Amino acid sequence: MKINPDKIKDLKENFPHIIDELKNQARTYDDIKMNLKRKYLKNVPWLWNVNNTVIQHILEEVNILRVSEQGFILKKGEKCDKAFIIIEGTASVYVHVEKEDIKEKFSNLNTGSCFNVFSFLNPDGIQLTSFIADDFCVLLTISRKQIEELENRFY
């Protein structure tokens, strides 16, 4: 069952106790996929020294993005303030040479890869490369604003 983001927003506003209970259950939830998500976050260089409590709170804040095969995750020139972690699938990084419409494959990204960190940290946030899904991809995304809110809460 997929929950519409508007319904989640409505739940947060009208039934915060339900959201709190779901978050409490998620903190103790222990299966392979959840453990992998925790490990993927701990592998992000700027999260290496973050304790497990904060990692869990980050997991509560991340969004899920699904991208179909050959779909753009990010395009060169787009503004984006999000960092991405691939939790399923693979993607490729393309640099643009000469004309804007000519792109050349630069690198491959696999499950567990974190990317867009420089644009994420840069207030300008303009993409210099394109990221395209090689196959169906599921990604965790977190915005600079979400990280700043967590930072204010914990540090």
Side-chain angles (χ1 to χ4, degrees):
M1 179 173 106
K2 185 175 178 183
I3 299 176
N4 181 316
D6 292 331
K7 291 195 187 253
I8 291 175
K9 185 179 177 183
D10 185 48
L11 278 174
K12 283 181 180 178
E13 290 173 5
N14 297 311
F15 305 100
H17 60 284
I18 292 174
I19 296 297
D20 289 341
E21 182 57 31
L22 288 171
K23 285 181 179 181
N24 287 334
Q25 288 181 17
R27 286 184 188 112
T28 59
Y29 190 68
D30 194 28
D31 75 353
I32 292 171
K33 285 188 176 184
M34 184 61 81
N35 287 333
L36 281 173
K37 289 176 188 176
R38 289 180 183 115
K39 286 181 182 182
Y40 295 154
L41 283 173
K42 287 292 281 185
N43 282 332
V44 174
W46 40 271
L47 296 176
W48 283 346
N49 296 320
V50 172
N51 68 44
N52 290 334
T53 301
V54 176
I55 291 293
Q56 187 58 46
H57 283 281
I58 291 171
L59 269 175
E60 292 169 10
E61 296 295 324
V62 295
N63 297 302
I64 302 290
L65 174 66
R66 292 172 177 82
V67 180
S68 60
E69 182 177 348
Q70 297 305 308
F72 276 93
I73 299 168
L74 289 170
K75 290 182 183 178
K76 180 184 186 277
E78 284 183 337
K79 186 172 182 165
C80 183
D81 72 340
K82 293 180 177 77
F84 297 80
I85 299 173
I86 299 174
I87 58 172
E88 290 180 31
T90 60
S92 294
V93 183
Y94 289 89
V95 293
H96 297 261
V97 293
E98 298 173 23
K99 296 182 179 181
E100 291 295 312
D101 58 340
I102 300 173
K103 61 183 186 283
E104 189 173 304
K105 190 172 188 173
F106 176 72
S107 183
N108 295 318
L109 301 170
N110 55 19
T111 301
S113 295
C114 177
F115 61 95
N116 201 46
V117 176
F118 295 113
S119 295
F120 167 77
L121 296 173
N122 182 345
D124 181 31
I126 301 298
Q127 293 304 300
L128 301 177
T129 57
S130 293
F131 298 88
I132 299 174
D134 294 330
D135 47 25
F136 178 76
C137 279
V138 180
L139 305 105
L140 299 178
T141 70
I142 190 158
S143 70
R144 181 174 45 248
K145 181 181 177 188
Q146 287 171 300
I147 289 291
E148 288 170 354
E149 288 171 358
L150 285 167
E151 184 179 54
N152 290 335
R153 213 160 114 200
F154 290 101
Y155 297 102

